[in-house]
């Protein structure tokens, strides 16, 4: 499976998405939470193709990664979370680090998981992802 972000627009935290974009984004989240992962993936990928650079690009890529993770596509999930991390100033950074660590654990790449958790705890010690990262680290072989 090729990455859904092959043509992903740049992340631009200064640009607000349209109301249409936000409605479609909410549909994607609802599909994800209903465990309709294929539908969620289509919605998020469609937003990346049509939405232009805005402050929700990182969220769309992140949720694409979560759908890949839920569907057992760990390498694709890691690539998508790495894309989010490449945006640098995304508010999804701690989320993407923890999720990429979870994907690494699923691939038995414990060193990679440990590195992501260490970065998360160093750079985002007060985030809500810090406690699950500490638990993940403790549970690693």
């Amino acid at each position: 499976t090729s990455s859904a972000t092959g043509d992903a627009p740049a992340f631009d935290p200064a640009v607000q998405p349209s109301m249409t974009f936000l409605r479609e984004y909410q549909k994607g989240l609802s599909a994800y939470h209903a465990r309709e992962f294929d539908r969620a993936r289509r919605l998020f990928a469609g937003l990346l193709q049509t939405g232009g650079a805005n402050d929700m690009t990182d969220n769309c890529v992140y949720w694409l990664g979560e759908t890949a993770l839920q569907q057992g596509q760990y390498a694709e999930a890691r690539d998508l979370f790495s894309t989010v991390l490449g945006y640098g100033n995304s508010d999804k950074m701690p989320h993407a680090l923890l999720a990429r660590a979870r994907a690494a654990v699923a691939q038995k790449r414990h060193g990679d998981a440990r590195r992501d958790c260490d970065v998360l705890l160093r750079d985002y010690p007060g985030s809500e992802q810090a406690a699950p990262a500490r638990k993940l680290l403790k549970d690693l072989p």
Side-chain angles (χ1 to χ4, degrees):
T1 307
S2 69
S3 172
T5 60
D7 298 318
F11 169 58
D12 187 345
V15 176
Q16 296 292 311
S18 69
M19 287 308 296
T20 302
F21 183 102
L22 292 173
R23 279 192 295 274
E24 287 299 301
Y25 177 79
Q26 285 302 322
K27 286 181 190 174
L29 273 186
S30 295
Y32 175 85
H33 291 300
R35 303 188 62 77
E36 298 170 5
F37 300 124
D38 289 333
R39 180 168 179 261
R41 184 177 281 228
R42 280 193 307 278
L43 287 163
F44 291 126
L47 286 170
L48 289 173
Q49 289 173 347
T50 62
N54 65 56
D55 75 350
M56 294 294 286
T57 301
D58 57 337
N59 291 57
C60 290
V61 176
Y62 172 80
W63 287 107
L64 274 173
E66 285 288 350
T67 61
L69 189 59
Q70 291 294 327
Q71 293 179 312
Q73 297 165 341
Y74 305 121
E76 181 176 357
R78 287 182 46 118
D79 287 346
L80 289 160
F81 297 133
S82 294
T83 298
V84 174
L85 295 171
Y87 290 139
N89 53 353
S90 165
D91 61 355
K92 282 292 190 192
M93 298 290 277
H95 302 266
L97 282 163
L98 181 61
R100 191 169 73 173
R102 291 189 345 254
V105 168
Q107 292 179 298
K108 304 213 181 320
R109 296 173 64 161
H110 300 129
D112 291 341
R114 188 169 283 110
R115 276 189 292 284
D116 283 341
C117 288
D118 287 343
V119 170
L120 193 163
L121 294 171
R122 181 191 72 215
D123 294 351
Y124 307 96
S127 69
E128 66 185 57
Q129 289 74 32
R134 277 193 281 286
K135 179 176 180 349
L136 193 151
L137 275 173
K138 190 171 68 75
D139 294 342
L140 283 174

